[in-house]
Amino acid sequence: MALFGNAHTIDPGKAQHDYARLLGQNEQVHAAYMLIRDTILLTDRRLILVDKQGITGKKVEYHSVPYRSITHFAVETAGTFDLDAELKIWISGTPTPIEKTFTKGVDIYEVQAILTHFVAK
């Protein structure tokens, strides 16, 4: 499903290992998702968006969003004919949300629960 541009679940332990250089001391990855070449990490401290750019993907932008800067978020579940779920996150001072699309196989309620746990602290 990654070929269609939808995110799918990847093992948080593998993401913890693969992105160890990005993580702070004792920071833990709670969930991770792959979107073609890009990755979404939900840690105990922040949301990390890994954006591989260009044809080769050698240029990478790492976008770190501390949970305290998230003003609100919305999830839209997959439907009968709409096979993907969506996540929208609004960042303080930014009118346009960050939008990500997940395959029907991803538990969007898990994503919502993790965000609720950390954003509502």
Side-chain angles (χ1 to χ4, degrees):
M1 288 303 284
L3 293 176
F4 296 108
N6 294 340
H8 63 279
T9 304
I10 58 175
D11 178 52
K14 180 173 176 9
Q16 180 86 29
H17 178 268
D18 292 348
Y19 295 100
R21 292 176 41 177
L22 295 178
L23 303 174
Q25 186 175 7
N26 298 322
E27 185 173 9
Q28 296 294 309
V29 175
H30 285 265
Y33 305 93
M34 180 69 73
L35 174 60
I36 302 177
R37 298 183 305 174
D38 299 342
T39 306
I40 303 165
L41 305 174
L42 295 157
T43 78
D44 57 344
R45 300 180 191 173
R46 60 198 164 129
L47 171 71
I48 302 171
L49 304 171
V50 181
D51 180 17
K52 292 188 178 181
Q53 302 173 356
I55 294 171
T56 63
K58 288 187 178 184
K59 181 177 180 181
V60 182
E61 178 181 49
Y62 301 98
H63 190 92
S64 178
V65 180
Y67 291 124
R68 69 181 174 277
S69 68
I70 297 174
T71 60
H72 65 287
F73 60 90
V75 295
E76 181 180 302
T77 62
T80 303
F81 299 107
D82 181 16
L83 299 179
D84 49 344
E86 297 176 9
L87 170 67
K88 294 180 185 176
I89 300 174
W90 284 264
I91 307 299
S92 178
T94 307
T96 307
I98 296 170
E99 297 183 47
K100 297 296 176 184
T101 303
F102 297 81
T103 61
K104 192 172 184 176
V106 170
D107 184 359
I108 196 68
Y109 294 106
E110 175 187 48
V111 176
Q112 188 270 337
I114 293 169
L115 283 172
T116 297
H117 178 77
F118 292 115
V119 171
K121 277 188 174 184

